[in-house]
Amino acid sequence: MSEAIAYEREGSIAVLKAQNPPVNALGVEVRKGLLAGIERAEQEGAKAVLIYGEGRTYFAGADIREFGKPPQEPSLPDLCNRIEASPLLVVSSMHGTALGGGLEVALSSHYRVAVPSAKMGLPEVNLGILPGAGGTQRLPRLAGTEVALEMITSGRHVSAAEALEKGIVDRVVDGDPREIGLSYAGELLEQGAARRAVGEMPAPEAVDFDAAYAAVLKKGRGQLSPATAVRAVQAAAEAGSFEEGLKRERALFMELMDSDQRQGLIHAFFAERAVSKLPELEGVSPRDVASVGVIGGGTMGAGIATAVLLAGLPVVLIEMTEDAVAAARGRIEGNLRGALKRGKISEAQFAELTGAALTVSTDYTALAQVDLVVEAVFEDMDVKREVFGKLDTHCKPGAVLATNTSYLDVDEIAAATSRPQDVIGLHFFSPAHVMKLLEVVVAEKTAPEVLATGFALGKRLKKVAVRSGICDGFIGNRIMNAYRKAAEYVVLDGASPYQVDEVVRGFGFPMGPFEMGDLAGLDINWAARKRRAPTRDPRERVPRFYEMLCEGGDFGQKTGKGFYIYEAGQRGGVPNPEVAELIARDQAQQGVTPREFSDAEVLRRYMCAMVNEAAKVVGEGIARRPLDVDMVMLFGYGFPRFWGGPLKWADLQGLDGILADIRAYAAEDDFFWQPAPLLEQLVAEGRRFEDLNKAD
Ligand code: 3H9
């Protein structure tokens, strides 16, 4: 027998127990074991087979690490068909997460029982593929076409109770998966229950599949897998037979398996998990954090306080005046009311979080007992240093002192205290209780356990924490500045901001850079430009139209006008006609003759700027690995997940082509388009960014 599947007999029932930790993924050994177990049960004259998983879960899916490698027999689709075809009564007992190929094994079984806490789903589309072991054919037969379409195209996990209601499981019972499975199988045998193969059930009803396809494609912003999955479900209704439907599913599955999007999404899956695994933290324990202080109750401070409260930690927030205290409390309550409305917390929790769990005060002595403080005050070095001086006075020894600065030097802030080893950057993204990214910025003297504490807090807040070194803008904002500049250059040279936004949206971003500027407030970036102006290199090209817009008092959504005009009550904006005039004036002043840009060129320049700066960030050690950059852009900047991140995208496009284009652009502006040394090195060595991820 295979090690991954244990075989035993309980009277007339053969019991197949999966033992492939951590999640009983259906790798080749598991598949071999299941096949051998079914065959042996049949040969031995068992009457029923029970399949269940040891440890934390039933099968959580196919083994993703096998994707892209040569297939090994038995394949999962063949195995599922073989299980379904068995003359014995096959029962699956589910706990934990029965996902993807896992649920497909269960759907091939003749009866399904689950514990109440079990979750099930077909999340394959999130990995850029579709259920490829009969899931698109069996689920609609069992639960109906609409249910199957919704579950398969969203990848949503459903609870055992919902699965019961939708007919996906036959019974939900509390208990040990082995025991409840044996008891159910025994009962079925006693009743003389018939084998019940889902594949032999009638084809499900047809719906308007073209409409479903179009809707899903639009929602996915260019992600192909959910839309392709619609066609597979369509085959269940229209292919003529179960076997033909399976064939169609297989063909569509293989199409997606060969796609770049599949590679991007699987990269994102593993990178999301690898990003918090830092070799430097091996064996380092974080400090305990049982309460958190927040300095400043503006949008950012209130958002951070909300995130911390929602994670179950009490907060002490400090503001300067009683009015500001009241305003901060109001903001936090507003955020929590939103969570209440969306059903994330109960009325009782709302009362607790806005009551006993939250202290808002003007008095720094209230921070005496907190374990970690996040400062989120105005971005000004003098102000920050003053705050850190006070924290040094009032916080207990060993408290972690964090700054939420977006670009100021954390070393300089740390130097305002007598304990720089306890100082770290925790860079949240607004709104901090919603956005998943947390940049954990390591200063020169930050102690390893303080870094570990930053990561532990990130995990507690359910954020994706990424380690960053110190530079202007850290990982994300530094890269964003580069691609935003590239966008402004193409506009100065003749493209329109609206073309750029549309092209960037077409790539899969939720928003283009000019829409984004309008949303964030153009004045914020204007202030940063003014700050940088005195030290700007004279060789840098400086488009002026952005500042001209701000000088006219148009800051975007907050003033009703920016690159777009926002009418009250309207979603989104319409192009602001004055912008074209400003751009024309800028061009005339700078002696630029505008030219046309194809959409492809706009996108290429935007992406090359992003990749080039990202390569510099990795090359300089600001980000440790390419995957760290990828996760920053995915979780903080709306980079489309199906491309995996800018450096995964670059690998997929080919680094030599990207470098060649950067060199060509440098012919017109060799200051901005200086190729990243790391990019040049990788091309010279014939390597990819991916190789640097593996090296760690
Ligand atoms: C599929 O089934 C295709 C079929 O339709 C057709 C085939 C023909 N494979 O997430 P965690 C690892 S597609 C390999 O930290 P949690 C994971 O990398 C599959 N490895 O734990 C991590 O490793 P490490 C459809 C896997 O408790 C460790 O297990 N299924 C797989 O937060 C723990 O994972 C899915 O898409 C896998 N399938 O969450 C489910 N799954 O410790 C994907 C996990 O080295 N998995 N690992 O970093 C999940 O959603 C979550 O892992 C799960 C547990 C909810 C199960």
Side-chain angles (χ1 to χ4, degrees), residues 324-463:
V325 164
R329 189 172 268 287
R331 281 188 199 102
I332 296 169
E333 284 180 5
N335 291 342
L336 290 171
R337 198 160 294 118
L340 175 66
K341 250 191 223 156
R342 286 190 300 277
K344 281 186 145 189
I345 51 172
S346 65
E347 284 282 0
Q349 281 169 308
F350 177 79
E352 159 70 17
L353 298 184
T354 53
L358 176 64
T359 307
V360 191
S361 168
T362 55
D363 184 358
Y364 271 72
T365 60
L367 295 172
Q369 290 312 316
V370 299
D371 299 309
L372 180 148
V373 189
V374 188
E375 161 279 311
V377 302
F378 188 63
E379 282 283 90
D380 178 281
M381 184 53 88
D382 292 339
V383 179
K384 304 249 183 207
R385 285 178 59 91
E386 192 191 325
V387 167
F388 272 75
K390 286 190 196 162
L391 294 180
D392 199 17
T393 308
H394 294 288
C395 292
K396 66 183 182 188
V400 172
L401 310 181
T403 171
N404 178 56
T405 183
S406 319
Y407 57 81
L408 296 176
D409 185 346
V410 184
D411 285 325
E412 212 178 319
I413 295 174
T417 72
S418 64
R419 35 176 148 169
Q421 73 282 0
D422 293 337
V423 177
I424 194 166
L426 289 179
H427 184 208
F428 290 82
F429 288 72
S430 196
H433 56 297
V434 177
M435 294 292 287
K436 293 266 284 176
L437 178 63
L438 177 68
E439 282 179 330
V440 181
V441 184
V442 189
E444 198 194 332
K445 298 198 171 130
T446 306
E449 71 271 17
V450 170
L451 175 60
T453 310
F455 271 87
L457 181 74
K459 191 168 180 194
R460 177 106 197 231
L461 303 187
K462 297 203 175 75
K463 307 258 178 239

Side-chain angles (χ1 to χ4, degrees), residues 648-663:
K648 180 65 190 179
W649 178 86
D651 276 349
L652 289 166
Q653 304 309 303
L655 299 189
D656 45 355
I658 290 175
L659 180 61
D661 284 350
I662 291 171
R663 286 186 174 141

Side-chain angles (χ1 to χ4, degrees), residues 81-115:
N81 294 341
R82 177 67 182 82
I83 291 172
E84 184 170 75
S86 176
L88 310 182
L89 214 58
V90 185
V91 177
S92 268
S93 177
M94 291 176 271
H95 76 294
T97 40
L99 299 175
L103 184 58
E104 290 175 303
V105 169
L107 293 173
S108 313
S109 308
H110 305 136
Y111 292 88
R112 286 157 291 280
V113 57
V115 300

